[in-house]
Structure formats: structure tokens, C-alpha cells
Amino acid sequence: MYLSKIRVTLRKSILDPQGKAVEHAIGSLGLLGVGEVRMGKYIELKVDSRNETAARNTTEEVCKKLLANPVMEDYHFEIEKLP
Amino acid sequence: MYLSKIRVTLRKSILDPQGKAVEHAIGSLGLLGVGEVRMGKYIELKVDSRNETAARNTTEEVCKKLLANPVMEDYHFEIEKLP
């Protein structure tokens, strides 16, 4: 059993109004020096496969077909072996 | 300048209908062996502070006061020094 930890982020060239809103809210809290807030998605899932390569391939497919919009988003993931 | 990479996840005891929906969609795609999908948020932000401890404290405050709901969510973050 493997655990995939997936981060889906907006591409640099895409505006992020949600991030901007959070940035303003942080300013209103009085916290200084925080900027360039970018919001993304974080997904964890378990993959039951015989080896890490198979788990990696399955995760790759899930990301490509379902979790990330390839026009606007990038994804990165790590695979962890569960005991 | 530091980069904070923050993951906000739902607590284990909280039901995650969005994760369940994604799980079903993965099944419909014909991908086998994927389960326990949990959806969360991923946030990146830059902190301009004099050392890593200060950056860590600022990030901690942003998470506590703004990004995570302490009743339902946990957060984890890493700090990276930018060149």
C-alpha cells in the first residue's frame, strides 16, 4: 500500500484572486512581510499496487485525468510506502 | 526571503464528501486500487523576515488565524530559504 501526496498549483502566469484576497486579509491582521500568496489543492490518496512504479503511474493518471487542469495547473506528488 | 509551503488537511474524524466524489470518479475512469481520497488545501506564500524562526512564527500565525479551521482542520508547513 502506498500513500500519494499530491499538490496541484496554479501556473505562474495565471492570476490568483483567491490568493490576493488571503494576502489582503493577512495585511488586515497586522502581519507584515507576507506576500505572493498562491492557493492550490492538496490531495492524499492510497494506492494498492505491487510496487512503487505502479503506484506512481496510477497517481500520474489520476492527476492528469481528474485532479489537475493541464491548461492552468501543475501538479507534483510524492509517494510514501505504508507499513 | 522565505517560502512557506502549507498543507491544510481535514481531521481524520471529519467526513470528506468531496474526497468521496473524487474516489468514485477515479473508479469510473477504470483505475483500480485507489482509495481513501482526502481533499485539502495547499498554500504557498513568501515571508520577508530576518531569520527562519521569524518566518516560521509568521506562517504559524497565518495558519492559525486565517487558513485553517482549528476545529476541523490540521496544518503542516515547510519553510524554504529563497536565494
Side-chain angles (χ1 to χ4, degrees):
Chain A
M1 192 73 108
Y2 296 85
L3 177 67
S4 303
K5 298 174 165 188
I6 304 162
R7 288 164 293 151
V8 178
T9 49
L10 272 182
R11 297 209 159 162
K12 281 227 163 68
S13 54
I14 308 283
L15 284 176
D16 181 3
Q18 200 188 352
K20 277 279 163 240
V22 170
E23 211 173 301
H24 282 292
I26 292 170
S28 316
L29 284 177
L31 292 165
L32 299 172
V34 180
E36 291 185 53
V37 181
R38 305 282 289 174
M39 305 291 293
K41 286 180 285 184
Y42 177 72
I43 303 107
E44 282 188 357
L45 48 86
K46 289 188 183 158
V47 187
D48 189 11
S49 54
R50 49 189 199 295
N51 56 44
E52 200 180 306
T53 310
R56 193 166 286 279
N57 289 344
T58 302
T59 306
E60 187 83 36
E61 264 200 274
V62 170
C63 290
K64 251 193 222 150
K65 292 189 175 163
L66 201 70
L67 297 175
N69 169 353
V71 179
M72 293 169 62
E73 294 170 329
D74 290 317
Y75 59 87
H76 302 273
F77 60 82
E78 289 130 45
I79 306 269
E80 204 173 274
K81 189 163 174 41
L82 295 175
Chain B
M1 192 72 112
Y2 296 85
L3 176 68
S4 303
K5 298 174 165 189
I6 305 163
R7 286 165 292 151
V8 178
T9 49
L10 271 181
R11 297 209 159 163
K12 281 229 164 65
S13 54
I14 308 281
L15 285 177
D16 181 3
Q18 200 189 353
K20 277 279 164 239
V22 170
E23 210 172 302
H24 282 292
I26 292 170
S28 316
L29 283 178
L31 291 166
L32 300 172
V34 181
E36 292 185 53
V37 181
R38 304 282 288 175
M39 306 291 293
K41 285 179 286 184
Y42 176 71
I43 303 107
E44 281 187 358
L45 48 86
K46 288 186 183 158
V47 186
D48 188 10
S49 54
R50 51 191 196 293
N51 57 44
E52 200 180 306
T53 310
R56 193 166 288 279
N57 290 343
T58 303
T59 306
E60 187 84 36
E61 263 200 274
V62 170
C63 290
K64 250 192 222 150
K65 292 189 176 164
L66 200 71
L67 297 175
N69 169 351
V71 179
M72 293 169 63
E73 293 170 328
D74 289 317
Y75 58 87
H76 302 274
F77 60 84
E78 289 132 46
I79 306 269
E80 205 173 273
K81 188 162 175 40
L82 295 175

